[in-house]
């Protein structure tokens, strides 16, 4: 398969912090329309990996190609332009707590689609909120919402610019099992509706089983194992086994 | 040669603040210009600080007059009270006290707000949505503090002089026009201009330090508290250092 058919291609990625080398030649390929989960222990470098993809961190070595563009060759304006095509759901949701739900969703719209009218803005905001079943919260502040609602609003904000790729950083961490299942189902529904490609960073096996087409096990800074959930679950490798126990 | 840890930390921090300031000057002239956010910050930083600055200025003028009167009576120059109070307020007390109040209110608020945004990944969220957070958050706030503080100083001086007028009239009777005639006849260009100009530097220092501390906040809520606290402490210290330098410069320029 050629590079242009991959939504994201990572080759030989290295990233360290002082003497702590987190990624040591990591490789990944995300095909278009695919949901790929990256599983690993806490501190294994999963979040570092997606922060390198979105440009929040600079890799020490290696190549990251997103939608056919090598991010190392992009200047700031080009990177900002590319970021519009990538949604990022933060583990902490990262909702702007001084803004209402409506303002949170309007913010990326007004930054990138400057010609958009107030009516179009309102329609898009309401469409995004209806997608996550929270249209009634439009005028509330983030602090007035529950954890699950905040996660849904963050997802709505991630989707409002209609990204081609979504990066999920621990989307179900801190949520109860029922809400986690709802969020996982919502991720699936939205992926089908907008035909996005996704990388899901998680250690929640239920979420991964529900959402991922394929998964990569990140161990000691490399892609230790790769395959479908059931294939890896059936593995007898002593390194892989503990993740499925 | 190995530097003592505290010296090393101080030099590292000074270097980081210098880099941060350098980035401010690079970003401030580059489009896109965040006019709406700048106006919003001017409202939040300037307009919303006016009641506090006005009240402290009023009390300061009143108290200063009441404290000075007995000494001037002893020297037989009570009639010089409006002139002395006017010069003290306009040249030194007005700008410095207003700047210290401003550092306490705005410096801590900026440090805490940006610190909280940093630790809850809101700044990262802004960046991944294709918005330059330095330009949107830092440049607008530093410009607002730089331009709002001089205006607050002028308004604070005016309210303070009115407080002093009431103070003068507590134990004597001086007409409104006589009081202000005495005040303004004894004020010169060299009293007003340096005080006004230095308040721009006070505002810039308070803004850049508050933003630096907030933008580089870490270690969760504890770090946010530390950012707010150190923004006030360092901002207030910078006000005195700039004041000291301003006195030297005006002296060299013969404006004293």
């Amino acid at each position: 398969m050629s590079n242009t058919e991959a939504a994201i291609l990572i080759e030989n990625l290295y990233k360290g912090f002082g003497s702590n080398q987190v990624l040591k030649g990591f490789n990944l390929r995300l095909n278009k329309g695919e949901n790929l989960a990256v599983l690993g222990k806490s501190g294994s470098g999963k979040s570092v990996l997606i922060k390198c993809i979105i440009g929040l961190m600079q890799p020490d070595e290696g190549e990251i190609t997103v939608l056919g563009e090598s991010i190392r060759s992009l200047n700031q304006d080009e990177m900002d332009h590319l970021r519009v095509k990538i949604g990022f759901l933060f583990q902490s949701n990262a909702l702007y707590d001084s803004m209402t739900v409506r303002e949170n969703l309007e913010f990326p719209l007004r930054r990138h689609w400057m010609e958009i009218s107030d009516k179009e803005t309102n329609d898009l905001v309401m469409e995004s909120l209806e997608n996550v079943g929270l249209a009634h919260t439009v005028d509330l502040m983030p602090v007035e919402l529950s954890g699950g609602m905040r996660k849904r609003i963050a997802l709505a904000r991630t989707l409002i610019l209609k990204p081609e790729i979504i990066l999920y950083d621990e989307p179900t961490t801190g949520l109860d099992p029922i809400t986690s299942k709802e969020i996982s189902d919502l991720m699936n529904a939205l992926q089908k509706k907008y035909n996005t490609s996704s990388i899901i960073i998680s250690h929640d096996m239920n979420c991964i089983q529900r959402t991922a087409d394929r998964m990569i096990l990140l161990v000691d800074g490399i892609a230790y194992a790769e395959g479908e959930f059931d294939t890896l679950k059936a593995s007898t490798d002593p390194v892989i086994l503990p993740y499925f126990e | 040669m190995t530097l003592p840890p505290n010296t090393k930390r101080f030099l590292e921090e000074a270097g980081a603040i210098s880099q941060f300031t350098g980035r401010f000057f690079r970003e401030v002239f580059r489009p896109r210009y965040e006019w709406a956010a700048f106006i919003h910050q001017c409202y939040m930083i300037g307009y919303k600080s006016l009641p506090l600055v006005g009240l402290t200025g009023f009390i300061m003028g009143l108290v200063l007059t009441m404290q000075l009167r007995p000494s001037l009576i002893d020297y037989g120059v009570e009639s010089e009270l409006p002139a002395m109070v006017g010069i003290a307020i306009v040249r030194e007390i007005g700008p410095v006290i207003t700047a210290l109040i401003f550092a306490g209110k705005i410096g801590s608020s900026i440090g805490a707000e940006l610190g909280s945004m940093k630790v809850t990944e809101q700044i990262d969220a802004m960046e991944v949505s294709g918005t330059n957070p330095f330009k949107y958050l830092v440049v607008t706030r530093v410009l607002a503090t730089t331009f709002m503080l001089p205006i607050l100083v002028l308004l604070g001086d005016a309210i303070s002089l009115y407080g002093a007028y009431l103070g003068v009239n507590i134990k004597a009777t001086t007409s409104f026009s006589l009081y202000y005639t005495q005040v303004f006849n004894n004020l010169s260009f060299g009293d007003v201009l340096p005080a006004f100009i230095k308040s721009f530097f006070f505002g810039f220092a308070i803004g850049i330090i508050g933003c630096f501390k907030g933008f580089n906040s870490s270690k969760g809520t504890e770090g946010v508290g530390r950012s707010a606290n150190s923004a006030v402490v360092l901002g207030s210290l910078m006000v005195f250092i700039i004041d000291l330098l301003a006195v030297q410069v005006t002296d060299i320029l013969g404006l004293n």
Side-chain angles (χ1 to χ4, degrees):
Chain A
M1 211 180 285
S2 68
N3 287 358
T4 50
E5 290 171 315
I8 296 176
L9 188 65
I10 297 175
E11 293 170 302
N12 213 24
L13 188 69
Y14 283 81
K15 178 69 184 173
F17 302 91
S19 60
N20 180 23
Q21 194 66 37
V22 179
L23 299 174
K24 305 169 189 170
F26 185 84
N27 294 294
L28 174 150
R29 179 191 180 90
L30 173 70
N31 297 316
K32 285 194 173 171
E34 182 185 34
N35 278 351
L36 173 67
V38 178
L39 176 69
K41 285 192 229 170
S42 296
S44 60
K46 306 185 296 291
S47 295
V48 170
L49 170 68
I50 53 171
K51 284 182 177 172
C52 285
I53 295 172
I54 198 77
L56 285 175
M57 286 181 182
Q58 298 304 314
D60 299 332
E61 275 181 59
E63 194 64 38
I64 301 176
T65 308
V66 179
L67 298 169
E69 297 190 75
S70 167
I71 65 163
R72 279 202 158 184
S73 64
L74 302 179
N75 62 31
Q76 189 61 50
D77 290 340
E78 290 166 337
M79 189 68 211
D80 286 344
H81 187 70
L82 180 64
R83 279 169 171 162
V84 177
K85 299 175 189 168
I86 310 171
F88 194 115
L89 184 71
F90 285 85
Q91 184 177 350
S92 63
N93 304 322
L95 293 174
Y96 306 125
D97 52 19
S98 60
M99 299 182 191
T100 62
V101 168
R102 177 191 296 280
E103 289 164 340
N104 262 281
L105 270 69
E106 282 179 355
F107 187 83
L109 281 178
R110 296 203 185 278
R111 307 295 302 172
H112 291 290
W113 298 348
M114 281 179 262
E115 303 304 319
I116 194 168
S117 70
D118 286 349
K119 185 185 177 308
E120 287 169 315
T121 303
N122 185 59
D123 290 348
L124 280 167
V125 167
M126 293 317 294
E127 181 196 328
S128 290
L129 287 176
E130 277 157 15
N131 277 334
V132 298
L134 288 175
H136 62 285
T137 65
V138 66
D139 292 317
L140 297 181
M141 299 298 286
V143 73
E144 297 175 88
L145 307 172
S146 69
M149 290 163 96
R150 277 200 288 268
K151 188 65 77 180
R152 285 164 179 263
I153 298 295
L155 191 50
R157 187 181 64 181
T158 302
L159 287 162
I160 200 160
L161 289 176
K162 309 274 193 285
E164 294 176 40
I165 297 170
I166 304 179
L167 307 175
Y168 295 95
D169 188 4
E170 306 279 7
T172 55
T173 296
L175 300 176
D176 63 82
I178 295 169
T179 311
S180 293
K181 180 179 171 297
E182 286 172 358
I183 295 292
S184 301
D185 292 343
L186 189 58
M187 286 161 61
N188 278 334
L190 294 171
Q191 196 265 341
K192 284 193 182 76
K193 183 170 180 181
Y194 294 109
N195 193 31
T196 54
S197 316
S198 313
I199 292 181
I200 303 152
I201 299 295
S202 184
H203 49 232
D204 176 353
M205 296 308 283
N206 290 326
C207 171
I208 289 176
Q209 189 174 14
R210 282 183 172 279
T211 55
D213 302 312
R214 193 162 58 92
M215 59 189 285
I216 286 179
L217 194 59
L218 173 55
V219 179
D220 290 334
I222 59 163
Y224 181 82
E226 188 173 341
E228 290 181 6
F229 184 89
D230 291 335
T231 312
L232 290 183
K233 192 180 178 185
S235 169
T236 53
D237 186 325
V239 176
I240 300 174
L241 269 175
Y243 291 92
F244 293 90
E245 284 172 354
Chain B
M1 189 184 81
T2 309
L3 290 170
N6 284 345
T7 310
K8 193 177 170 210
R9 207 174 307 129
F10 170 77
L11 291 174
E12 281 173 355
E13 175 121 335
I17 292 177
S18 304
Q19 276 188 334
F20 193 80
T21 307
R23 187 175 173 194
F24 168 82
F25 284 110
R26 281 196 304 278
E27 298 275 9
V28 73
F29 297 111
R30 276 181 50 203
R32 136 185 204 182
Y33 304 112
E34 304 284 358
W35 290 111
F38 170 64
I39 301 292
H40 176 71
Q41 288 306 323
C42 286
Y43 171 77
M44 298 301 289
I45 286 170
Y47 181 76
K48 292 217 164 179
S49 299
L50 188 55
L52 182 64
V53 167
L55 181 64
T56 50
F58 178 80
I59 294 170
M60 188 174 66
L62 194 64
V63 171
L64 185 66
T65 312
M66 290 161 72
Q67 295 273 27
L68 267 176
R69 182 193 296 279
S71 302
L72 296 186
I73 289 172
D74 287 347
Y75 288 103
V77 287
E78 191 190 358
S79 61
E80 295 299 319
L81 186 57
M84 286 197 69
V85 168
I87 289 171
I89 287 172
V90 170
R91 282 184 76 130
E92 187 62 27
I93 295 174
V96 171
I97 297 288
T98 305
L100 291 175
I101 296 285
F102 195 76
K105 183 178 187 295
I106 300 301
S108 64
S109 139
I110 291 175
E113 186 185 8
L114 296 194
S116 168
M117 289 184 77
K118 173 80 177 178
V119 301
T120 56
E121 297 181 303
Q122 291 177 54
I123 292 179
D124 286 345
M126 210 167 262
E127 191 164 354
V128 301
S129 73
T131 297
N132 180 342
F134 194 94
K135 195 175 266 296
Y136 188 81
L137 297 172
V138 176
V139 171
T140 53
R141 279 166 175 77
V142 175
L143 285 178
T145 55
T146 306
F147 289 105
M148 286 300 104
L149 183 57
I151 294 170
L152 286 171
V153 166
L154 288 180
L155 293 169
D157 283 358
I159 295 167
S160 195
L161 286 173
Y162 183 71
Y165 163 71
L166 296 180
V168 166
N169 278 281
I170 287 174
K171 289 190 176 171
T173 306
T174 303
S175 74
F176 191 77
S177 61
L178 177 62
Y179 168 78
Y180 277 101
T181 302
Q182 278 191 287
V183 168
F184 289 116
N185 279 350
N186 286 282
L187 283 175
S188 67
F189 177 74
D191 295 318
V192 178
L193 192 67
F196 184 64
I197 289 173
K198 74 182 173 187
S199 56
F200 282 95
F201 289 92
F202 291 163
F204 178 79
I206 291 165
I208 204 90
I209 288 166
C211 288
F212 171 79
K213 290 291 181 185
F215 218 70
N216 292 288
S217 188
S218 60
K219 294 178 185 166
T221 47
E222 187 194 342
V224 174
R226 207 163 29 225
S227 296
N229 181 264
S230 53
V232 177
V233 173
L234 194 55
S236 304
L237 181 65
M238 283 306 295
V239 167
F240 287 111
I241 292 171
I242 292 168
D243 196 37
L244 182 65
L245 293 173
V247 169
Q248 300 299 319
V249 170
T250 49
D251 197 37
I252 290 165
L253 296 175
L255 290 169
N256 272 337

